[in-house]
Amino acid sequence: MQTQALSDRTGYIQSALAEVLAQHTARFDLRQDPRLTAAFEQPEQWVDWFQYESQAEGTVLRLQFNEGRIRQLLAESQIPAWTAKRPLTVVWLTLSGQWVTEDQTLFTQVQRASEQVGLPVVVPVLDLEELDAIQSTPLGVAQASQRYRGGAWVLADIKPVGGGWSASWHFGANQDLWHINVSADSLELLMNQGFTQTAQTLIQHDAEQKHVLVLEPLYISLQKVQTLSQFKNMMNYLTQLSVNESVSLVSIDKDVIVLELRPRGGIPALLQAIRAVPQMVLVPGGDTQNLMFRWLS
């Protein structure tokens, strides 16, 4: 910062607020959105604390925004945003048709571009076993991504074109697939465009699924959960399934536990997620109002 004057501080907080909102919405134009005019006119109201620090390069302003109030602001403004549970996204890259296994510069650009839009990512190990088994197709990548328990995946086939770059960019979540073509003058811009469009699509899709499908709770019963350790593992497992918006304990009767779930996509999406990482199995003979499972671990 140039000075500690109020005008300079306000301008800095406005810029920081725009970055935070982009991490929640994958939108970089919100400073011009009329629904947020008042929020940017008084940006300090969204800050929990700030302090100045003297460093070698000059004075730096440190601040922290109130996460809850930021979410409330976006909800009241009816601007789609990430839920508290963002999907871990498995990122697969090919360069001119060859798997990218060692390119730290490219991986750093992936990390920066995804962080700007608030999308947590993981790059696959791509060991010999995985390289032999996986096919560089959307279906092959979707199947291989299950190993990492991610809620979404990206397959970007990057190619140099003239003086720039292009990518056939596939991505998906649960049973849904999307495809876009991206081009840019640099790999950095290419990654920014790809991850911005990916995040915007996933945010909008999540909002639509939540509105349409998560209307009524789903009750399930689990057998063979007999110890505290098994109970903790079971709750952790169900909470980490990307389809579950929430997991709540209803009752415990001997070794049978009843839970209330709110899965995005309903019963089909829940069963598919369980089959992908099978730590419990469906017991035949139950009804759709109260599914019965047996815990395996």
Side-chain angles (χ1 to χ4, degrees), residues 66-267:
N66 186 299
E67 185 81 8
R69 296 200 65 202
I70 292 293
R71 291 187 182 280
Q72 182 180 4
L73 169 65
L74 292 169
E76 292 176 350
S77 303
Q78 297 185 335
I79 297 173
W82 290 117
T83 63
K85 188 176 180 180
R86 307 182 187 198
L88 177 64
T89 301
V90 188
V91 180
W92 308 80
L93 303 175
T94 64
L95 185 58
S96 298
Q98 300 297 314
W99 288 115
V100 178
T101 58
E102 295 181 2
D103 191 328
Q104 194 56 49
T105 299
L106 187 54
F107 293 154
T108 299
Q109 291 169 342
V110 167
Q111 194 67 41
R112 289 176 179 172
S114 60
E115 285 178 354
Q116 288 180 353
V117 293
L119 185 64
V121 300
V122 61
V123 177
V125 176
L126 282 179
D127 51 31
L128 292 177
E129 178 183 352
E130 197 159 47
L131 284 171
D132 289 339
I134 189 175
Q135 297 179 342
S136 57
T137 63
L139 180 58
V141 164
Q143 293 173 340
S145 297
Q146 296 174 3
R147 171 180 177 181
Y148 298 88
R149 300 189 181 184
W153 54 267
V154 166
L155 170 61
D157 182 18
I158 305 167
K159 297 178 181 178
V161 177
W165 298 87
S166 69
S168 178
W169 193 283
H170 296 266
F171 59 103
N174 299 325
Q175 296 177 322
D176 299 289
L177 305 176
W178 296 272
H179 174 254
I180 56 175
N181 291 308
V182 188
S183 59
D185 293 334
S186 68
L187 280 173
E188 180 181 5
L189 291 176
L190 187 81
M191 291 297 159
N192 288 343
Q193 290 183 29
F195 280 105
T196 295
Q197 293 190 53
T198 297
Q200 288 177 349
T201 301
L202 292 177
I203 288 171
Q204 185 61 42
H205 178 68
D206 186 70
E208 293 171 355
Q209 291 289 93
K210 185 175 181 180
H211 177 70
V212 174
L213 298 172
V214 186
L215 299 177
E216 297 295 334
L218 171 65
Y219 294 95
I220 70 170
S221 298
L222 281 102
Q223 302 172 338
K224 302 300 181 181
V225 181
Q226 299 170 322
T227 67
L228 179 59
S229 176
Q230 288 177 327
F231 176 78
K232 290 181 178 179
N233 290 339
M234 177 269 298
M235 290 296 290
N236 184 56
Y237 166 74
L238 288 171
T239 301
Q240 289 184 354
L241 289 181
S242 60
V243 298
N244 284 333
E245 183 71 20
S246 65
V247 180
S248 304
L249 176 64
V250 176
S251 66
I252 301 177
D253 183 11
K254 296 181 180 179
D255 68 341
V256 176
I257 293 177
V258 178
L259 301 172
E260 177 189 292
L261 310 181
R262 291 183 180 270
R264 294 185 295 272
I267 293 175

